[in-house]
Amino acid sequence: MKKLMLIVLGLILSVMSFGKDIKIGVIAPLSGPLALYGQTTVNGYDLAVKEINAKGGINGMKLVLIKEDNKGDSAESVAAIKKLITVNKVDVILGGVTSGNTMAIAPIAQEYKIPMLTPTATNIKVTTFGDYISRTCFIDPFQGEVMANFAYDNLKAKKSIIMKNAADDYSEGLALEFEKTFNENGGKVVDVINYVTGDIDFSSQLTKIKNMDTDVIFLPGYYNEVALIVKQARDLGIKAVFLGGDGWDNSKLFEIGGTSVNGSYVSTHFSKESEDKQVQNFINNYFNEFFEDPSPLSALGYDAAYIMAEAIKKAGSLDKVKIKNAINSTKNYKGVTGVISLDENRNAKKSAFILKAENGAFIYETTVDPK
């Protein structure tokens, strides 16, 4: 009898725990220099949540996004997550967007034991803060390795220069792995040159590069700064091929850099050229909702929101431990950014796409699978 009463009590508590909206905290830069990254990611969340709620939500409960603008700043990110947890009482968190911001909030999510899933933070350290922190994007070492192998194997490059943002964890992470892999392959990174966030005149660094012998220049930064760098490099007569990571993959790159970025290659998470029906449905639905094409961040946000929803459904309640375990056991989830499985360190194992910049757009070049 006692056992039966405990089972009934458990069922009652389970129903009670679902007797409200499911509150998903969102932390993203919605203003400031990284606002475009944040907004397109949040658009992906919004579309996924709209679709899920239109189908009845999760066990009859609606998903509600509670958004906080961190302005791309780590201190603002800390304030945002504390508000979401202690004031808004969110059940789970989606975010952050950049690696630096995400690493600022990860220890707090872990301390309060709130499941946190980032769709876009690629720095290797992001998930080291504990088992409540997971991600659905591949990590920086994979991107750096992919581009180093592509440069050596596909472009037959033997010499490379790295130009990185010394004030950004994302840029540092990709640069470190590119240098390691390119040198191990038999190539030579002849120099590593730094800039910092906010720079707009790169003439001193580029003048130095112009006087050096290199086949490629690896430039792991964000579209707003790399577009200026490539444009100024071409103006100085530098002809080496530029390579980058997913931070390049934004249509604004071509508005700023113009034709100077043609011939560059980037690794990224999503290709609009995919003929997969799920991908094309996503592109069409996104356009109908926001009157623009989705960015890779939109696609990553969309997949992360669905994986979070699936985890809550699988957990069968809003028990944080069960949700966390459900997220971390994600295997072979077919999203619009590919097939996603989380490894033992809660990092996504998935393929990377390499795109080539041509005439104001990125064109699919090849796919690289994880080894």
Side-chain angles (χ1 to χ4, degrees), residues 37-91:
Y37 286 121
Q39 190 57 61
T40 56
T41 305
V42 171
N43 286 352
Y45 298 154
D46 282 334
L47 180 58
V49 166
K50 182 178 181 179
E51 292 175 353
I52 294 166
N53 285 340
K55 295 175 183 175
I58 299 176
N59 294 343
M61 297 295 104
K62 299 294 185 184
L63 301 179
V64 176
L65 297 178
I66 302 175
K67 303 168 187 172
E68 287 291 327
D69 177 11
N70 66 2
K71 303 178 178 63
D73 178 80
S74 292
E76 294 276 357
S77 301
V78 169
I81 194 170
K82 288 182 176 178
K83 178 178 179 294
L84 288 170
I85 294 174
T86 63
V87 178
N88 301 109
K89 308 290 185 185
V90 298
D91 299 299

Side-chain angles (χ1 to χ4, degrees), residues 40-52 55 94 119 136 278-279 281-283 285-286 290 294-309 333-337 340:
T40 56
T41 305
V42 171
N43 286 352
Y45 298 154
D46 282 334
L47 180 58
V49 166
K50 182 178 181 179
E51 292 175 353
I52 294 166
K55 295 175 183 175
L94 287 171
T136 53
Q278 183 181 1
V279 173
N281 284 340
F282 163 68
I283 293 170
N285 293 339
Y286 188 96
F290 303 108
S295 73
L297 298 185
S298 311
L300 288 168
Y302 182 81
D303 277 350
Y306 262 102
I307 287 175
M308 179 65 84
Y333 174 83
K334 186 177 182 304
V336 297
T337 62
I340 302 168

Side-chain angles (χ1 to χ4, degrees), residues 17-171:
S17 68
F18 264 98
K20 60 187 183 67
D21 291 336
I22 299 169
K23 293 191 286 188
I24 301 177
V26 169
I27 300 174
L30 301 175
S31 63
L34 299 179
L36 187 60
Y37 286 121
Q39 190 57 61
T40 56
T41 305
V42 171
N43 286 352
Y45 298 154
D46 282 334
L47 180 58
V49 166
K50 182 178 181 179
E51 292 175 353
I52 294 166
N53 285 340
K55 295 175 183 175
I58 299 176
N59 294 343
M61 297 295 104
K62 299 294 185 184
L63 301 179
V64 176
L65 297 178
I66 302 175
K67 303 168 187 172
E68 287 291 327
D69 177 11
N70 66 2
K71 303 178 178 63
D73 178 80
S74 292
E76 294 276 357
S77 301
V78 169
I81 194 170
K82 288 182 176 178
K83 178 178 179 294
L84 288 170
I85 294 174
T86 63
V87 178
N88 301 109
K89 308 290 185 185
V90 298
D91 299 299
V92 296
I93 292 172
L94 287 171
V97 174
T98 67
S99 292
N101 292 171
T102 305
M103 287 190 285
I105 61 178
I108 300 169
Q110 182 68 30
E111 178 186 352
Y112 283 90
K113 299 189 183 307
I114 303 293
M116 188 179 100
L117 184 62
T118 172
T120 53
T122 53
N123 188 283
I124 185 72
K125 297 178 184 175
V126 164
T127 56
T128 62
F129 294 94
D131 58 352
Y132 281 79
I133 316 301
S134 310
R135 74 177 116 204
T136 53
C137 55
F138 48 64
I139 57 178
D140 289 342
F142 182 55
Q143 285 201 82
E145 176 186 333
V146 163
M147 293 313 292
N149 287 333
F150 177 75
Y152 190 82
D153 295 334
N154 295 61
L155 301 182
K156 309 302 180 187
K158 303 303 179 190
K159 296 179 181 177
S160 174
I161 290 172
I162 296 173
M163 187 170 176
K164 63 179 175 65
N165 184 341
D168 182 75
D169 292 327
Y170 161 80
S171 188

Side-chain angles (χ1 to χ4, degrees), residues 57-351:
I58 299 176
N59 294 343
M61 297 295 104
K62 299 294 185 184
L63 301 179
V64 176
L65 297 178
I66 302 175
K67 303 168 187 172
E68 287 291 327
D69 177 11
N70 66 2
K71 303 178 178 63
D73 178 80
S74 292
E76 294 276 357
S77 301
V78 169
I81 194 170
K82 288 182 176 178
K83 178 178 179 294
L84 288 170
I85 294 174
T86 63
V87 178
N88 301 109
K89 308 290 185 185
V90 298
D91 299 299
V92 296
I93 292 172
L94 287 171
V97 174
T98 67
S99 292
N101 292 171
T102 305
M103 287 190 285
I105 61 178
I108 300 169
Q110 182 68 30
E111 178 186 352
Y112 283 90
K113 299 189 183 307
I114 303 293
M116 188 179 100
L117 184 62
T118 172
T120 53
T122 53
N123 188 283
I124 185 72
K125 297 178 184 175
V126 164
T127 56
T128 62
F129 294 94
D131 58 352
Y132 281 79
I133 316 301
S134 310
R135 74 177 116 204
T136 53
C137 55
F138 48 64
I139 57 178
D140 289 342
F142 182 55
Q143 285 201 82
E145 176 186 333
V146 163
M147 293 313 292
N149 287 333
F150 177 75
Y152 190 82
D153 295 334
N154 295 61
L155 301 182
K156 309 302 180 187
K158 303 303 179 190
K159 296 179 181 177
S160 174
I161 290 172
I162 296 173
M163 187 170 176
K164 63 179 175 65
N165 184 341
D168 182 75
D169 292 327
Y170 161 80
S171 188
E172 289 277 5
L174 267 73
L176 188 65
E177 191 64 23
F178 180 93
E179 182 175 14
K180 173 177 174 288
T181 304
F182 193 74
N183 286 336
E184 287 177 350
N185 283 344
K188 182 178 181 180
V189 174
V190 296
D191 205 350
V192 178
I193 295 173
N194 294 322
Y195 65 93
V196 295
T197 305
D199 286 353
I200 56 173
D201 181 358
F202 304 93
S203 56
S204 62
Q205 295 99 325
L206 293 172
T207 299
K208 181 180 180 182
I209 290 173
K210 184 181 179 182
N211 295 319
M212 301 174 72
D213 180 21
T214 187
D215 301 311
V216 297
I217 300 170
F218 185 54
L219 180 60
Y222 294 111
Y223 71 92
N224 49 341
E225 57 198 22
V226 301
L228 289 175
I229 291 170
V230 177
K231 192 171 189 301
Q232 292 177 27
R234 298 306 185 213
D235 289 343
L236 282 172
I238 296 174
K239 299 185 182 303
V241 174
F242 276 91
L243 309 174
D246 56 324
W248 282 52
D249 193 4
N250 191 287
S251 59
K252 295 288 184 184
L253 175 85
F254 299 99
E255 293 182 17
I256 301 170
T259 58
S260 63
V261 297
N262 284 345
S264 302
Y265 296 91
V266 301
S267 60
T268 190
H269 310 260
F270 174 69
S271 173
K272 289 182 287 188
E273 294 185 332
S274 170
E275 295 179 352
D276 184 276
K277 184 178 179 181
Q278 183 181 1
V279 173
Q280 290 304 315
N281 284 340
F282 163 68
I283 293 170
N284 291 333
N285 293 339
Y286 188 96
F287 188 87
N288 291 336
E289 189 73 19
F290 303 108
F291 307 107
E292 63 183 19
D293 288 335
S295 73
L297 298 185
S298 311
L300 288 168
Y302 182 81
D303 277 350
Y306 262 102
I307 287 175
M308 179 65 84
E310 286 289 319
I312 296 171
K313 184 178 181 181
K314 183 179 178 181
S317 74
L318 293 179
D319 182 278
K320 307 296 190 295
V321 174
K322 291 182 178 178
I323 295 173
K324 175 259 294 182
N325 289 340
I327 294 171
N328 295 342
S329 63
T330 299
K331 298 294 180 189
N332 299 317
Y333 174 83
K334 186 177 182 304
V336 297
T337 62
V339 178
I340 302 168
S341 295
L342 268 58
D343 65 15
E344 66 276 12
N345 297 314
R346 303 169 305 286
N347 297 321
K349 294 189 69 176
K350 60 195 296 190
S351 301

